[in-house]
Amino acid sequence: MVTRASAPHASDGGPDLVLLSSTARRLREDIIAMTTRAGSGHPSSSMSAIDILVALYKGGILNLDPSHPSAPDRDRFILSKGHAAPALYAVLAEHGVISHESLDTLRVIGSPLEGHPNMRRLAGVEASTGSLGQGLSIGLGHAFAGHLDGHGYRTYVMCGDGEMQEGQVWEAIMSAAHFNADNLTLIVDHNGAQQSNLLPRVIDYRPLAAKLRAFEWHVEEIDGHDMPAILKAFDSVRAVKGRPQAIVAHTVKGKGVSFVEADWAYHGKPLTASEQVRAFAELRGEPAPH
Amino acid sequence: MSTSTTPFVVSLGAATRDAFGIALRDLGHSEPRIVVVDGDVANSTRTEWFGQVFPDRFFNVGIAESNMVGVAAGLAASGKIPVVSSFAAFLLCNAYDQLRMSVAFPHLNVKVVGTHAGISIGEDGPSQMAIEDFALACSLPGFTVIVPADEAHAHAAVRAMIAHEGPVYLRLGRPKAPRVHEAGSTLEIGKAYQLRDGSDLTIVACGLMTAAALEAHDALAAKGIHARVLDFPTIRPLDVEALVRASRDTGHILVAEEHLAHGGLGSVVAMAVGSHHPCKLGYVNLGNRFAESGTPEALMETYGLTAPHVVEAAVKLVAK
């Protein structure tokens, strides 16, 4: 058995919420810094997801020994919304699976930190994603294998809310429910914005939770930036038997930096060097530089 | 290399899909990592025979090819040897992005088995006929592409496919296939099989067209034209050495396949021959068109894929 990755604990024995929140703030800086340095990438799509990833990897949810990221009985996390790769790389570095220095090489030729995750090149990446819609099916395959092998591992898949417009996701939702895949959890980063516009103006399929429930999934609906709520939702889904589970996490694209939050057109657009300075000041609660 | 000199007599063996179904079921006992992912056509693809013996290792995910391929990718990433099977037309054309991104790009050990390929499926018509599957499969980097000609080689192909580490596309047909290899033959990935020798031209064929090539060989011999016949059960990797020898020894190569002109065996042979030892080339294929409904025999006749068509093309080629 792989030992459960140690979670930061407060004196009461639970995860240290203050530490988790400060970690998420730091990783927001990593996301901004690496995409600004690269001159491209999707920082805002990464910032909406990062609190959930920090809870998963550093809140004691994901059973992943950073020194054995391919252990057969590890929990799996698949980032189906592959454009949020900077968030995945930041949390893999924080967890010690990859080096923090490697974040400087995002999108540089020769680096395994490609624009979208490449499982062949980077430890800790469970699926090569970037063509939206494919991760949940892959996760279901892992769930089937875990069941066949008698492993108790869980598979978590994060999709974007725009990605939920892909038909394949619903094929996977249908079949996961049919097979009672209770070792599979879908997390939807429901940030309400996609490439060309706000989600309601593109294809408004809301409400999402009701649709997932209609497919016989167990659904938790939370604020995806509320650390205690995220941890509680993960605890809840782990207790569900006989059904796959979804966490519909309402998030804000670009969360933590007001001028990115205010403009969905930051999709796929890095901050400039001066915007990075402003963003860091805001994240750190320091006065805005002139 | 065995080369027969006796006349070819058509003797129908099992369909390649039937041989696949039996071989897969049998291998399931010795290779516990094999699992099957089906798109609700297991009674047609014959994976139901595996499913009847190993129900826990058989997943029918319904009529959802994209999901089917993704599930197979996940199973492979967790150490299984998934065999994902459907009609070749639906598997390759419907789930191509999943084959590309979820399987080929991470080079996962998924076995993609497309049945009912070619126009010889007959009456169900063009919607069910994969005629572009070689081009699609060969456009997936890292894929091995296997096309057994008959029952014996279909058995051997399944064993070779499972033993091979990496993604494989296996093309199978619906109708009974004439026997061209001896029962119990092996199939080595990347190797061409010489079935007849000759000095005037070489007929390079795969699938059902190999039997047509053998029939054509005898008809050509009666005209004084001596054809070498090479069966190419592997389109990728291609046996370039056998092609270079054929080019050098016979000066003419005719490629016969049940596929569109574009991107099939003819294309890859032409590129290899052109690069290594150019010679005169001819082609027998579907051209650039869809077929229609009809009996398999009527379709092969109407769309130019019979032994007389091979003979006609061979005569023209050697006259060049």
Side-chain angles (χ1 to χ4, degrees):
Chain A
M1 275 297 290
V2 172
T3 50
R4 180 164 291 277
S6 61
H9 283 267
S11 53
D12 65 355
D16 186 334
L17 295 168
V18 174
L19 182 56
L20 289 174
S21 294
S22 76
T23 300
R25 182 197 58 72
R26 233 175 348 93
L27 298 199
R28 283 191 162 84
E29 292 184 14
D30 287 343
I31 289 164
I32 292 167
M34 74 175 102
T35 49
T36 295
R37 185 183 296 106
S40 64
H42 298 75
S44 63
S45 313
S46 302
M47 290 155 76
S48 61
I50 195 64
D51 293 306
I52 297 161
L53 293 196
V54 167
L56 193 56
Y57 281 80
K58 304 312 296 175
I61 307 299
L62 197 74
N63 181 16
L64 178 68
D65 178 349
S67 54
H68 298 97
S70 302
D73 59 352
R74 73 195 182 280
D75 285 343
R76 279 91 164 134
F77 171 71
I78 292 169
L79 182 68
S80 192
K81 50 170 285 186
H83 55 288
L88 178 61
Y89 300 155
V91 83
L92 287 176
E94 183 67 20
H95 198 49
V97 180
I98 63 174
S99 75
H100 194 264
E101 295 71 41
S102 70
L103 300 182
D104 293 347
T105 66
L106 176 72
R107 292 176 169 247
V108 174
I109 191 160
S111 167
L113 278 70
E114 299 201 41
H116 294 79
N118 181 343
M119 68 180 283
R120 292 288 286 182
R121 296 186 70 190
L122 191 63
V125 172
E126 296 282 5
S128 298
T129 53
S131 180
L132 293 174
Q134 302 195 19
L136 190 59
S137 301
I138 296 169
L140 182 58
H142 281 284
F144 285 163
H147 183 73
L148 282 174
D149 290 338
H151 285 311
Y153 66 73
R154 300 189 58 79
T155 302
Y156 300 89
V157 180
M158 176 181 274
C159 287
D161 56 357
E163 182 177 15
M164 299 301 285
Q165 292 160 358
E166 288 277 9
Q168 185 186 351
V169 179
W170 296 94
E171 294 180 358
I173 287 168
M174 226 184 318
S175 55
H178 174 82
F179 286 99
N180 306 315
D182 57 10
N183 52 356
L184 179 68
T185 301
L186 166 67
I187 306 154
V188 181
D189 179 9
H190 202 350
N191 62 30
Q194 48 196 104
Q195 175 154 332
S196 75
N197 213 319
L198 298 173
L199 181 138
R201 294 182 194 161
V202 181
I203 291 291
D204 191 359
Y205 59 70
R206 298 172 302 166
L208 176 58
K211 289 177 177 62
L212 292 165
R213 288 191 182 104
F215 278 82
E216 302 292 333
W217 280 54
H218 173 93
V219 180
E220 299 281 332
E221 194 162 16
I222 59 166
D223 173 350
H225 302 302
D226 179 341
M227 196 58 76
I230 299 168
L231 292 167
K232 183 161 172 279
F234 278 129
D235 281 341
S236 299
V237 298
R238 278 192 292 189
V240 173
K241 298 292 172 214
R243 282 200 285 172
Q245 318 90 39
I247 298 173
V248 176
H250 293 275
T251 57
V252 176
K253 204 161 173 173
K255 176 71 176 179
V257 177
S258 56
F259 60 90
V260 181
E261 290 182 20
D263 185 1
W264 54 260
Y266 269 96
H267 180 96
K269 189 175 149 192
L271 276 60
T272 64
S274 62
E275 286 173 334
Q276 175 176 321
V277 172
R278 281 168 57 203
F280 278 24
E282 185 176 337
L283 285 166
R284 293 169 185 177
E286 296 165 356
H290 296 291
Chain B
M1 191 171 285
S2 69
T3 295
S4 169
T5 52
T6 53
F8 180 67
V9 179
V10 173
S11 156
L12 287 179
T16 51
R17 62 174 170 144
D18 290 351
F20 155 70
I22 290 165
L24 186 67
R25 181 197 63 198
D26 293 350
L27 273 176
H29 293 284
S30 56
E31 180 43 272
R33 291 177 298 168
I34 296 175
V35 295
V36 165
V37 189
D38 169 42
D40 202 37
V41 287
N43 53 342
S44 297
T45 62
R46 308 308 196 200
T47 56
E48 73 171 358
W49 299 340
F50 178 95
Q52 285 158 359
V53 180
F54 307 103
D56 294 345
R57 289 153 59 188
F58 178 85
F59 302 94
N60 179 0
V61 298
I63 307 164
E65 289 77 15
S66 303
N67 183 48
M68 175 174 69
V69 170
V71 166
L75 282 158
S78 272
K80 300 298 175 191
I81 304 177
V83 175
V84 57
S85 186
S86 183
F87 284 33
F90 311 143
L91 186 50
L92 283 177
C93 300
N94 193 313
Y96 197 70
D97 186 27
Q98 288 72 27
L99 291 169
R100 175 180 181 270
M101 272 306 299
S102 291
V103 178
F105 182 49
H107 198 72
L108 289 171
N109 194 24
V110 175
K111 312 307 176 187
V112 179
V113 181
T115 66
H116 297 68
I119 66 171
S120 57
I121 73 167
E123 291 84 348
D124 278 346
S127 65
Q128 323 289 300
M129 297 169 173
I131 53 175
E132 60 285 90
D133 53 326
F134 297 165
L136 292 172
C138 287
S139 301
L140 295 166
F143 258 70
T144 291
V145 180
I146 306 177
V147 192
D150 70 354
E151 177 183 2
H153 251 189
H155 273 281
V158 176
R159 291 192 295 271
M161 167 181 90
I162 296 296
H164 176 81
E165 176 72 29
V168 174
Y169 172 59
L170 176 65
R171 180 203 234 207
L172 302 172
R174 176 177 180 272
K176 290 181 189 302
R179 294 188 178 94
V180 300
H181 294 283
E182 287 174 20
S185 294
T186 56
L187 187 157
E188 189 182 326
I189 289 172
K191 187 183 165 204
Y193 289 81
Q194 182 170 312
L195 302 176
R196 297 287 186 274
D197 202 4
S199 53
D200 296 325
L201 85 156
T202 300
I203 306 172
V204 164
C206 65
L208 289 179
M209 295 311 292
T210 298
L214 289 173
E215 280 189 73
H217 166 275
D218 295 353
L220 287 165
K223 296 174 188 287
I225 298 172
H226 302 288
R228 179 179 295 181
V229 176
L230 296 179
D231 179 39
F232 266 70
T234 323
I235 295 187
R236 191 211 272 141
L238 196 66
D239 189 342
V240 176
E241 281 180 28
L243 291 170
V244 169
R245 278 196 303 274
S247 176
R248 190 183 59 220
D249 298 348
T250 71
H252 306 81
I253 294 178
L254 179 68
V255 188
E257 61 186 318
E258 192 183 353
H259 189 273
L260 293 176
H262 179 79
L265 182 60
S267 293
V268 296
V269 166
M271 182 178 260
V273 171
S275 302
H276 297 281
H277 199 285
C279 70
K280 295 193 170 99
L281 291 163
Y283 308 94
V284 175
N285 54 45
L286 265 176
N288 181 29
R289 57 186 170 165
F290 288 103
E292 62 189 290
S293 286
T295 64
E297 297 75 20
L299 285 161
M300 296 297 266
E301 172 64 33
T302 303
Y303 289 87
L305 299 178
T306 67
H309 293 100
V310 176
V311 171
E312 188 187 341
V315 169
K316 274 190 197 162
L317 180 62
V318 295
K320 276 189 181 177

